Amino acid sequence: MSETAAKAPGAPDTSGDANRWKALVFIALAQLMVVLDATIVNIALPSAQTDLGISDGNRQWVVTAYALAFGGLLLFGGRIADLWGRKNAFVVGLIGFALASALGGAATSGAMMFGARALQGVFGALLAPAALSLLAVMFTDAKERAKAFGIYGAIAGGGGAVGFILGGVLTEYMDWRWTFFVNIPFAIVAALGAYFVIREPEGGRNRNPLDIPGVLLSTLGLVALVYGFTRAESNGWGDAMTVGMFVASAVLLIAFVVTEARTKAPLLPLRVITDRNRGGIYLSLGIAIIAMFGTFLFLTYYLQIVKGFTPIKTGFAFMPMIVGMMVGSTQVGARLMTRVPARLLMGPGFLVAAVGMLLMTQLEIGSSYASIILPAMLLLGLGMGTAFMPAMSLATLGVEPRDAGVASAMVNTSQQVGGAIGTALLNTIAASATTSYIADHIGSATSRSQQQLVTLEGQVHGYTNAIWFAVGMLVLAAVIVVTLVNAGRPDTTAVTGSGEGAEEELAIPVVAH
């Protein structure tokens, strides 16, 4: 498709905007910062806990405060981006994230740290959907869109693993505070670049009044859901507060759907999620992230506790997965997305990742990195990169311009909720299997060294049991994609969009059924 592809009268001419590729650099930089932050802080947590005197019972709030604010406010952040303009929301989100990071790096108490992490989550919830929706409205040519989303998908998938390396280096050679301060130059460069380079197409804002009941119900419902899974990890699934959170979440989210169906200007127009392709993407992404997040956690523990790797060495051990994701996103996904239906990339992609995960079920105490973990990482990265790339693009493809922010927010919401579920659910499975194994085998251990060996064997047994569950999740994601996602090969045809409430024609790639 050439740069001069035919456009309907009055459509924004983004294909002639030479700055869109420069803009992609700053959007990708911001996305990298947000994804890095999700893992980089985990590496620094033990040091920060000691320095700030945070108790073992409260240390989870360093992670939970961010997750609750980010997960709970994503839909609101996406709607604000549609209302203010994505560029404005993007820049404000970056500046706020930088200030919150500075506060976290300068923290002198646990409460100050928790507050800084919550603020990071608030501005991250504004920043993340704005970044993805900017790509959706700036790149409208099918081939260019494939390349842009290939780069974005690789960063979204591989950035977390890069966080392990950077977190290890900063914590080991500098100070845990730098895991926060490092966000500041990222944010400043991205904000300045975005301010001067990004030119958002006109006519795509949603200026309808803000749906306050929808904001309250969705935020409280998502916060209750994320907190329920987070609490289940530490307090168990039978805990009264955990069960209460799940019940409250179900009630609030059902009320949210009912409200959105009846209100004139909903926070989340149900047309965004009832489309079978977008619905299939959101569901399959969330399920795949369940598998991925849990595996990150188990591999980190396995490499450091069982194999004795340092934080830096552990970070570099994840490099094959990053390489696989880059290849899958930019070489496989981006090249084939305009030639084959999305399901023929996503379905096989999830299955290739499942094969990589299947290799990891063979882990034992004496397993070598080169024979099991290295090929497993490569396959996992290659599969996820190939699947994520068309998923990111299709999730916002053909959506009305005024809905681009909330459609993008739903991608992030499915990932955030999937991550919370994955961490809690797979941890529970692993802990249960470990406890059972140790109880069955500790009686035959007569010496202290044998008891320690049984304990390590029990931990590895727990990890592999949970990884089997992750394999099933990836296969389920593939089945959902093949069943629900029926979009054909992308084609650059003008589709009807809606800007200021009036009908406009907008040249956005749509799918041929």
Side-chain angles (χ1 to χ4, degrees), residues 8-82:
D13 184 16
T14 56
S15 65
D17 180 8
N19 284 337
R20 65 193 179 283
W21 290 106
K22 294 179 185 176
L24 175 61
V25 173
F26 301 112
I27 292 170
L29 186 65
Q31 173 66 12
L32 179 61
M33 179 189 72
V34 172
V35 176
L36 280 176
D37 194 72
T39 51
I40 197 172
V41 172
N42 289 339
I43 298 289
L45 183 53
S47 302
Q49 181 183 354
T50 302
D51 277 6
L52 300 178
I54 301 172
S55 69
D56 286 347
N58 287 333
R59 69 181 175 186
Q60 65 161 329
W61 285 101
V62 176
V63 176
T64 304
Y66 177 85
L68 292 181
F70 186 72
L73 292 170
L74 271 168
L75 283 176
F76 181 49
R79 177 66 180 85
I80 290 294
D82 287 335

Side-chain angles (χ1 to χ4, degrees), residues 194-261:
Y195 182 79
F196 290 109
V197 170
I198 290 178
R199 292 195 307 176
E200 183 182 350
E202 295 293 333
R205 293 194 188 183
N206 183 344
R207 298 187 187 276
N208 287 319
L210 198 58
D211 172 22
I212 300 299
V215 170
L216 293 174
L217 288 170
S218 68
T219 301
L220 293 174
L222 288 170
V223 164
L225 182 64
V226 173
Y227 183 57
F229 280 110
T230 303
R231 188 176 175 88
E233 184 185 352
S234 55
N235 293 69
W237 296 90
D239 174 69
M241 178 65 79
T242 302
V243 174
M245 285 293 106
F246 286 137
V247 171
S249 173
V251 171
L252 288 164
L253 292 178
I254 290 170
F256 171 67
V257 172
V258 172
T259 301
E260 298 308 274

